Amino acid sequence: MLSRSSSVSFVLGISPLRRARCPSERLTCEFHERDYRFMNLALEQAKLAYDEGEVPVGCVLVSEDGEILSMGRNRVHNKMDCTCHAEMECLRSAMATANNWRLLGSVIYCTLEPCLMCLGAIQLARVAKLKYGADDLRMGAVHSWISVPSVKHPFHEVKISGGLLAAESSNLLRQFFRQQRTEGRTE
């Protein structure tokens, strides 16, 4: 169970409008309508990645006021760069636009639980909140593979919610990998 002193806390009970299936049975994840709107935009990015032959993961970064700062999608194969995950593309774009590596007060919406690299970048960029869809049992760094948030960070806390439109995100990933296997392109 996560402690209150955890460097990352799950958002609970803040003016809920809708409740999603939470990645952990111990937690209740509730989301606002705007969360669904931004996650649907992240899903659109994931679908673009799918159409480009990439693993369908999408991401949207918004300001505290709800202004879209950037969007990203996986581009690992197209750029032949293992660091071109959706989150990294999204963060790089926002930092370049803002001319600042600190993205204070921002909220990042990811269709898949971030890996260790992406969660580290989110932490370093001082993103305020992370809201993600599906769990990543192979590489998830929030709780599925490892639990980075279980260790208190000395200077920045990212609030994390999971399970937002998880079924839609999972279905898109399943469809992609099923197609890859059918076409004999498993890596």
Side-chain angles (χ1 to χ4, degrees):
M1 182 165 197
L2 296 175
S3 68
R4 283 187 181 265
S5 64
S6 172
S7 65
V8 181
S9 61
F10 281 82
V11 179
L12 302 173
I14 303 174
S15 303
L17 291 179
R18 291 171 43 182
R19 182 174 293 199
R21 183 176 175 276
C22 209
S24 173
E25 292 176 7
R26 298 176 301 203
L27 303 170
T28 302
C29 294
E30 297 169 332
F31 301 99
H32 299 272
E33 288 302 318
R34 86 182 230 167
D35 295 327
Y36 287 90
R37 183 167 27 100
F38 291 128
M39 185 59 85
N40 275 311
L41 291 174
L43 279 164
E44 287 177 20
Q45 288 295 306
K47 289 172 186 169
L48 289 172
Y50 184 109
D51 292 342
E52 295 168 354
E54 295 281 354
V55 175
V57 178
C59 193
V60 174
L61 183 74
V62 300
S63 70
E64 301 178 84
D65 303 329
E67 175 189 349
I68 296 173
L69 301 174
S70 64
M71 294 191 275
R73 60 185 175 272
N74 271 2
R75 295 179 186 217
V76 172
H77 291 291
N78 289 331
K79 290 191 174 182
M80 294 312 242
D81 181 346
C82 65
T83 67
C84 290
H85 289 191
E87 300 92 332
M88 299 299 288
E89 294 284 296
C90 193
L91 292 171
R92 285 180 184 132
S93 175
M95 289 178 203
T97 300
N99 197 29
N100 192 341
W101 60 270
R102 290 183 182 96
L103 301 170
L104 301 171
S106 62
V107 181
I108 193 163
Y109 294 85
C110 307
T111 58
L112 185 65
E113 176 184 1
C115 70
L116 184 58
M117 171 185 68
C118 294
L119 188 57
I122 289 166
Q123 178 79 26
L124 289 168
R126 311 301 197 273
V127 172
K129 297 176 185 175
L130 160 65
K131 299 185 183 207
Y132 71 90
D135 290 343
D136 184 350
L137 302 177
R138 294 178 61 220
M139 296 297 287
V142 172
H143 76 99
S144 296
W145 174 53
I146 58 174
S147 180
V148 171
S150 65
V151 179
K152 181 170 175 38
H153 194 272
F155 60 84
H156 181 66
E157 180 178 332
V158 178
K159 293 185 185 337
I160 299 179
S161 305
L164 178 60
L165 297 179
E168 292 83 345
S169 298
S170 294
N171 290 339
L172 188 60
L173 286 160
R174 270 192 219 95
Q175 180 181 345
F176 175 81
F177 286 113
R178 189 176 302 123
Q179 179 181 346
Q180 293 292 298
R181 285 189 296 278
T182 301
E183 295 173 3
R185 292 186 282 172
T186 56
E187 296 178 16

